[in-house]
């Protein structure tokens, strides 16, 4: 797993990087959010460790950038200065976890272990489509979606954007970033309903970004074909 460490304290960043590499991952350091944005595209990390107080763009503003939200890369915030409200805001903006400094390496290792399945599932989904880490075309839709949380709570929502790898979902439910939900919907192709597990990668009140997990090859092809037809119809 490629881990991008966004930390302006050089000594601490090096400690985090060395520990990440001891765990068998690849570590890369960005001393600012601006550098992290370049590495998000250039190095294509699987996960991000993010400080809140950074020179220039803050960690909170970084989380709220469309390019970061749309990437679907799991983000863990590590900070010693953030207030309780800022910690909650990080989670609302899509961070998987918030860790307060000073953080033990044992705790950091446990969090990376927690994050890794999400990162690997995201990578597999992209690999099945034959497109490695490239943004998928999205199309505006209005799809009824039946949503079931991990706790078995059901809700009815509407998919308003669809791609071959994810969906923007409007639903009155308490979904938290980093949690999986089961979505049942028909992608406007006249076929049978699809039942897909999605990871919540962005969470705002009533408005969520989902990354589809463990898509079968035929499911990925069906979604890609449906999106392509809708895009072509929109151009016609």
């Amino acid at each position: 797993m490629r881990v991008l460490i966004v930390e302006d304290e050089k000594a601490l960043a090096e400690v985090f990087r060395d520990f990440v590499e001891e765990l068998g991952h690849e570590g890369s350091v960005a001393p600012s959010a601006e550098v992290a944005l370049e590495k998000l595209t250039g190095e294509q990390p699987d996960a991000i460790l993010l400080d809140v107080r950074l020179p220039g763009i803050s960690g909170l503003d970084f989380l709220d950038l469309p390019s970061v939200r749309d990437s679907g890369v799991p983000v863990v915030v590590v900070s010693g200065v953030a207030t309780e409200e800022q910690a909650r805001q990080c989670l609302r903006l899509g961070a998987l976890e918030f860790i307060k400094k000073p953080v033990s390496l044992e705790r950091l290792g446990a969090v990376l272990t927690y994050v890794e399945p999400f990162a690997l599932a995201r990578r597999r989904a992209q690999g099945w489509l034959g497109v490695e880490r490239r943004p998928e075309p999205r199309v505006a839709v209005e799809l009824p979606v039946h949503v079931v949380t991990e706790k078995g709570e059901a809700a009815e929502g509407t998919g308003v954007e669809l791609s071959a790898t994810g969906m923007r979902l409007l639903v009155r439910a308490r979904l938290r970033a980093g949690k999986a939900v089961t979505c049942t919907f028909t992608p406007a192709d006249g076929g049978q309903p699809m039942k897909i597990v999605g990871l919540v990668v962005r969470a705002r009140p009533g408005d969520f970004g989902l990354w589809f997990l463990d898509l079968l090859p035929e499911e990925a092809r069906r979604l890609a074909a449906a999106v392509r037809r809708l895009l072509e119809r929109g151009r016609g």
Side-chain angles (χ1 to χ4, degrees), residues 68-74 93-96 122 167 176-179 198-203 208-211:
V68 177
R69 297 199 311 266
D70 293 345
S71 73
V73 177
L93 289 172
L96 279 184
R122 173 178 172 271
M167 172 187 290
R176 183 177 174 183
K179 298 296 183 180
L199 174 68
V200 181
V201 294
R202 177 179 57 78
F208 305 92
L210 303 182
W211 188 273

Side-chain angles (χ1 to χ4, degrees), residues 25-58:
H25 306 300
E26 297 177 28
S28 176
V29 173
S32 68
E34 289 83 351
V35 174
L37 285 173
E38 296 177 3
K39 294 198 171 197
L40 183 63
T41 302
E43 297 183 1
Q44 301 169 342
D46 297 306
I48 297 174
L49 295 180
L50 176 69
D51 192 10
V52 171
R53 181 175 289 180
L54 295 166
I57 299 174
S58 71

Side-chain angles (χ1 to χ4, degrees), residues 89-166:
Q89 189 175 354
C90 287
L91 296 175
R92 286 197 297 268
L93 289 172
L96 279 184
E97 184 63 271
F98 181 93
I99 308 175
K100 192 170 180 61
K101 294 178 183 175
V103 56
S104 70
L105 295 182
E106 181 180 1
R107 168 66 172 147
L108 183 59
V111 169
L112 289 175
T113 298
Y114 167 70
V115 169
E116 188 170 16
F118 300 128
L120 295 181
R122 173 178 172 271
R123 186 190 297 177
R124 286 199 304 271
Q126 291 174 319
W128 280 332
L129 292 172
V131 180
E132 180 63 19
R133 301 181 182 280
R134 295 178 184 173
E136 286 294 318
R138 292 181 294 178
V139 63
V141 294
E142 191 172 347
L143 299 175
V145 181
H146 180 69
V147 183
V148 180
T149 70
E150 290 179 322
K151 295 182 179 180
E153 300 168 344
E156 303 302 323
T158 302
V160 295
E161 288 182 1
L162 181 68
S163 77
T165 56

